[in-house]
Amino acid sequence: SWRWIFYVNVPVGIVALIVTSLVLKLPVNHIKHKIDFSGSILISAAVTAALLVTVWGGQTYAFSSPEIIGLIATTIVLVLAFIYRETKASEPILPLALFKNRVFSVASGIGFLAGFALFGAVIFLPEYMQIVRGVSPTVSGLMLIPFTFGIVVASVVSGQIISRLGKYKIFPIIGTFLLTVGFYLLSLFKVHTSYAFESLFMAVGGIGLGLSMQVIVLATQNAVEFKDMGTATSAVTFFRTMGGAIGTSFFGNILVNRVHFNLGRLMPRGTSVSTSTITSSISGTPAQLSKLPPAIHSVIIESFVRSLHVVFLWAIPFAAIAFLLSLILPEHPLRSSSRLSTGETGSNKSDYTDEQSPPIFAE
């Protein structure tokens, strides 16, 4: 059952809760707060409308249709209403003053673009493994281990180096550059590409992600005032998640359109297999796909590979823009553990000295 995708995380969450309850000792100050429900509703509605544009546009409705134009207009109105609300709220869910912080603004942009390009495109790799290689969903997940391994290793290694040197800017620069290169390498996937090359190409993208995603969170936490740390951290994560959600819809739209286009070009004339059967086979299991006649089966695989090639090429510009943003990411000396524990903050270089105790880095 698909529900076990979620159930399997329950024991992991319980262990994490126990560990944090026993080990994580933080000072607690009880302060009454006023939740910004209006801001939450407005931003949720705006996000929903934006996602519907990317999901329905070009598929259910034409981009020039009244429905899509109306959704775009609704998104703009809701965003403007959200901004106005945040200027009036006593405790805004997303304080607009945070955007005056250059580190926060740049990190949010990098997170959105990297999430847009990465999660929006890489999510189709399991489909490649299942359709082209004919493996099961479980095996296709295991075949992505090189990608995940690259993320973990790069995150841990960069964290250790940052803790020792107190410098972080170089890592998102290298990371977003590798991410851009990784997308180009993934676009080289063919029907008969060996898994060794696929693993290498996926590892490059994983390393790029590991060197950038966690570090921009660290940079944000280090740059904002202590009272805004939670909000800024969740905001950067929100922009990254939003990028991934919109990117998934955006690239999914491209993939579906290109598959239909390539099927129309490559499908033999006079084929007796209906389009609906072909579509259901692509979205079904590898076993369903293998039941098609060999000639049709090979055309479907070739059409999918050509379409995925376009998806990864479209991801390159977004990763490249994230790379350019990383070049202008300000770098402030990391706060010392002693200053953080006492709640002292500051975002200017003059606030810190090289003689402070070793900086902290939360992974």
Side-chain angles (χ1 to χ4, degrees):
S1 172
W2 61 269
R3 294 173 180 83
W4 279 98
I5 295 175
F6 305 99
Y7 292 155
V8 73
N9 290 301
V10 173
V12 178
I14 292 174
V15 172
L17 182 61
I18 293 174
V19 171
T20 53
S21 299
L22 296 177
V23 178
L24 187 62
K25 304 298 182 182
L26 296 176
V28 179
N29 297 317
H30 296 281
I31 304 174
K32 290 185 178 180
H33 291 282
K34 187 176 181 180
I35 300 176
D36 182 17
F37 289 107
S38 299
S40 301
I41 293 172
L42 286 171
I43 192 62
S44 298
V47 168
T48 301
L51 288 175
L52 288 176
V53 171
T54 59
V55 173
W56 288 347
Q59 293 294 321
T60 307
Y61 305 102
F63 282 105
S64 58
S65 66
E67 290 82 1
I68 298 302
I69 294 176
L71 282 171
I72 294 174
T74 300
T75 302
I76 295 173
V77 170
L78 289 171
V79 169
L80 293 176
F82 170 75
I83 293 174
Y84 176 78
R85 169 58 191 171
E86 297 308 274
T87 62
K88 302 299 182 181
S90 57
E91 293 188 55
I93 188 173
L94 179 59
L96 300 182
L98 282 176
F99 290 97
K100 296 180 181 179
N101 187 309
R102 191 177 171 192
V103 174
F104 173 81
S105 299
V106 174
S108 297
I110 294 173
F112 179 86
L113 289 168
F116 185 98
L118 187 74
F119 296 114
V122 173
I123 196 172
F124 299 111
L125 280 177
E127 288 192 53
Y128 169 85
M129 300 299 179
Q130 293 175 49
I131 293 176
V132 178
R133 292 188 168 274
V135 300
S136 67
T138 302
V139 174
S140 70
L142 293 174
M143 295 179 78
L144 296 184
I145 286 179
F147 177 74
T148 307
F149 184 76
I151 295 175
V152 174
V153 171
S155 297
V156 172
V157 172
S158 62
Q160 293 296 322
I161 296 175
I162 292 173
S163 295
R164 287 172 172 78
L165 301 181
K167 303 291 185 180
Y168 58 79
K169 180 175 179 177
I170 188 62
F171 294 101
I173 292 176
I174 297 174
T176 51
F177 175 77
L178 289 178
L179 203 56
T180 307
V181 174
F183 280 125
Y184 171 73
L185 295 175
L186 292 177
S187 72
L188 301 179
F189 277 19
K190 304 296 182 183
V191 175
H192 301 294
T193 302
S194 70
Y195 181 65
F197 281 107
E198 291 172 355
S199 299
L200 177 62
F201 296 165
M202 286 189 289
V204 172
I207 292 172
L209 176 64
L211 291 177
S212 54
M213 286 300 191
Q214 181 60 37
V215 178
I216 62 174
V217 174
L218 165 68
T220 300
Q221 293 174 334
N222 184 65
V224 300
E225 294 185 22
F226 188 74
K227 64 182 179 64
D228 293 326
M229 187 176 294
T231 302
T233 302
S234 60
V236 170
T237 305
F238 167 77
F239 286 118
R240 181 179 65 191
T241 306
M242 269 297 300
I246 295 177
T248 300
S249 300
F250 176 80
F251 290 116
N253 220 323
I254 293 176
L255 181 65
V256 171
N257 282 314
R258 295 305 301 179
V259 165
H260 284 292
F261 173 78
N262 287 314
L263 283 174
R265 287 182 52 194
L266 301 177
M267 190 62 65
R269 294 184 177 275
T271 178
S272 58
V273 182
S274 64
T275 303
S276 60
T277 301
I278 294 174
T279 304
S280 63
S281 298
I282 293 177
S283 60
T285 64
Q288 290 177 290
L289 194 60
S290 64
K291 292 179 182 179
L292 294 172
I296 305 299
H297 183 254
S298 61
V299 167
I300 290 176
I301 292 177
E302 182 63 32
S303 298
F304 181 83
V305 171
R306 292 188 183 187
S307 304
L308 193 62
H309 167 78
V310 176
V311 168
F312 287 130
L313 288 181
W314 266 95
I316 291 176
F318 297 99
I321 296 174
F323 167 72
L324 295 177
L325 282 178
S326 67
L327 294 176
I328 62 173
L329 177 69
E331 183 169 43
H332 301 313
L334 297 185
R335 293 179 181 136
S336 67
S337 55
S338 59
R339 284 199 172 219
L340 185 60
S341 63
T342 58
E344 294 183 51
T345 61
S347 59
N348 298 322
K349 279 192 174 184
S350 58
D351 292 337
Y352 309 100
T353 62
D354 294 334
E355 289 76 27
Q356 289 178 345
S357 56
I360 63 167
F361 179 70
E363 294 192 55

